[in-house]
Amino acid sequence: MKNLNKIFIAILMFAGLSSQAQDSNNPWAISFGANAVDTRVSAASSVKDQFSQFFDAKDYWNVIPSVSYFSVTKNVGHDFIFGVAGSVNRISKFVNYRTEKYTEYEVVNPGDLSYYALDGVVKYSFMNLIKSKMIEPTANLGGGYSWYGEQARGGTVNAGLGLTFWFSEMVGLSVQSTYKYSFDDTRSATNNLPSHTQHFLGLTFKFGGVDTDGDGIYDKDDNCPKEKGTKEFKGCPDTDGDKIIDKDDACPETPGLVAFGGCPDTDGDGIADKDDACPEIAGLKILKGCPDTDGDGITDAADKCPKVKGPKENEGCPWPDTDGDGVLDKDDKCVDVKGTVANNGCPEVDETVMKKLNEYAKTILFETGKASFEKQTFPVLVSIAAILKEYPTAKFSIEGHTDNVGKADKNLQLSKERAAAVMKYLTDNGIDASRLTSEGYGQTKPIDSNKTKEGKANNRRVEVKLVK
């Protein structure tokens, strides 16, 4: 028996000391050791007397030299512990009632009676309350069933106090005293189960923790239970050693800075390399870390004029002004001809130009009663087209007029056709149609008297007007 006890204790101690456990991660515990049964308490005549010789083990305690109790408990949270325990003993010291006749207790041997007990217990731990990591006081309540000799047996209501001294996170020395109240009314050494006190002394080992990744940190306290890590980072890995755990590190395999989520900033421009389009050259955040020497908002690499400011639309170079009229080519409707800012870089049509156009227009001749030109008119039309080309943004209306010879409705139609004929010639010879309109007014707008041949000739005319 003694050798078996030694082997049992050695195995459990090895299992316990080779583990790294924490109370919160190891809810299960086993305890084993020796127990002592004291029947004196129930023989006392008063409460005071019950405790006067409580620890007088030599005279009143029944102890066997062996592992004589074993318990299994589980921490269910909120400092409560549930468990079951079994114990064996041999009763060779039975204490009779103390009376006036006997000033001392009478201790008899009832015949080395066997003792067995099976108990259930609910404990409350005060360890967190006293904020200690080594000392754990407990209070317990429960009930059980005890066998006392061959005939005495029965249920008990139990209450007691305990104390565990933890040598490590999971190995401790436990002591406990439990009062077991029996409901037998009579007291007999062989026939009744007396109320008694049972004391326990033994080792306690905690277990049950789960460490999925095998990093020595149990899953309950491991922020990365499926990845090996370190205690410093609560079980999470830091592959690159930059003090930023991998799951929070945007660059887990390259040492970096906290400010950049664990990524490096090689050029020191305040932009992490992973977001830096020019990681080895200091640049601007707005340009994804690339430099802009001339400050025009275009990176040097994409700037065709990196030392001179220019717009993005012209690849970083300043816009030219080919004709030197103060209007940049991009806005100049007449890039090769000097104009005015007000007219988008094109020359403005003034009264002199309009006068010249209409002098030409007056010489446009049509065949009688038709909208077809006489041959000598074509050079005139060429001149008019040349002038209009000098003012590419200007718009003009071509107006046709007649004298009063013939019917008014026919004259109106003829004037429209003649004006349209002039417009068609001009558009056929390079003038944008969007710049021209034509209209005929017949004989409704004479500029001279229709009573004379000369006046009628003046009224038969084409006029060019500037559209503003």
Side-chain angles (χ1 to χ4, degrees), residues 201-452:
L201 174 66
L203 293 174
T204 298
F205 299 89
K206 293 182 180 179
F207 65 96
V210 178
D211 180 15
T212 302
D213 55 19
D215 60 3
I217 302 168
Y218 287 92
D219 290 1
K220 188 172 183 294
D221 295 319
D222 196 329
N223 288 344
C224 302
K226 295 183 179 181
E227 299 176 271
K228 284 188 177 182
T230 64
K231 286 186 177 180
E232 180 183 4
F233 299 112
K234 295 184 178 180
C236 290
D238 174 23
T239 302
D240 56 19
D242 59 4
K243 302 299 181 182
I244 302 169
I245 60 176
D246 289 359
K247 70 176 183 178
D248 297 328
D249 196 331
C251 302
E253 297 182 357
T254 307
L257 305 172
V258 175
F260 304 115
C263 291
D265 175 21
T266 303
D267 55 20
D269 59 4
I271 302 165
D273 288 359
K274 70 180 185 67
D275 301 319
D276 197 329
C278 304
E280 297 182 357
I281 306 173
L284 304 173
K285 187 173 184 179
I286 194 173
L287 298 176
K288 295 184 177 181
C290 290
D292 175 21
T293 302
D294 56 17
D296 58 5
I298 304 168
T299 62
D300 289 356
D303 197 332
K304 288 192 174 180
C305 302
K307 296 183 179 180
V308 183
K309 285 185 178 182
K312 184 177 182 180
E313 294 77 10
N314 200 39
E315 299 178 303
C317 293
W319 289 107
D321 177 15
T322 302
D323 56 18
D325 59 4
V327 181
L328 300 179
D329 287 2
K330 69 181 185 71
D331 301 318
D332 199 329
K333 302 297 184 181
C334 304
V335 175
D336 298 316
V337 181
K338 285 187 177 182
T340 64
V341 174
N343 201 36
N344 300 315
C346 290
E348 295 193 53
V349 180
D350 56 19
E351 292 183 2
T352 302
V353 174
M354 292 306 299
K355 184 177 180 181
K356 188 174 184 179
L357 281 172
N358 281 297
E359 285 178 352
Y360 281 124
K362 287 178 181 180
T363 64
I364 295 175
L365 300 175
F366 296 91
E367 294 180 354
T368 304
K370 298 180 180 180
S372 53
F373 301 112
E374 293 186 1
K375 290 183 179 181
Q376 63 268 35
T377 293
F378 287 105
V380 174
L381 294 173
V382 170
S383 298
I384 293 175
I387 294 173
L388 296 186
K389 288 178 182 179
E390 293 179 12
Y391 304 91
T393 61
K395 294 184 178 183
F396 301 90
S397 65
I398 310 299
E399 297 181 356
H401 301 273
T402 66
D403 57 22
N404 64 349
V405 176
K407 293 182 178 181
D409 55 344
K410 290 185 177 182
N411 286 337
L412 179 62
Q413 182 61 34
L414 180 61
S415 66
K416 290 178 180 292
E417 291 174 356
R418 287 178 172 178
V422 174
M423 178 177 168
K424 184 177 185 306
Y425 176 88
L426 295 174
T427 56
D428 288 345
N429 288 271
I431 307 301
D432 192 332
S434 65
R435 298 176 54 203
L436 302 174
T437 58
S438 68
E439 187 58 79
Y441 296 96
Q443 61 190 41
T444 61
K445 293 184 177 183
I447 59 173
D448 204 345
S449 173
N450 281 313
K451 293 181 179 181
T452 64

Side-chain angles (χ1 to χ4, degrees), residues 76-124:
V76 295
H78 301 289
D79 299 321
F80 282 97
I81 302 167
F82 285 69
V84 294
S87 59
V88 299
N89 212 315
R90 185 164 292 278
I91 307 301
S92 60
K93 298 176 183 179
F94 183 82
V95 182
N96 284 321
Y97 286 111
R98 184 175 182 180
T99 64
E100 293 181 359
K101 181 179 179 180
Y102 297 100
T103 56
E104 298 294 334
Y105 293 110
E106 180 184 12
V107 180
V108 298
N109 186 342
D112 289 339
L113 301 176
S114 60
Y115 175 91
Y116 303 97
L118 184 61
D119 300 295
V121 64
V122 178
K123 292 184 179 182
Y124 183 80

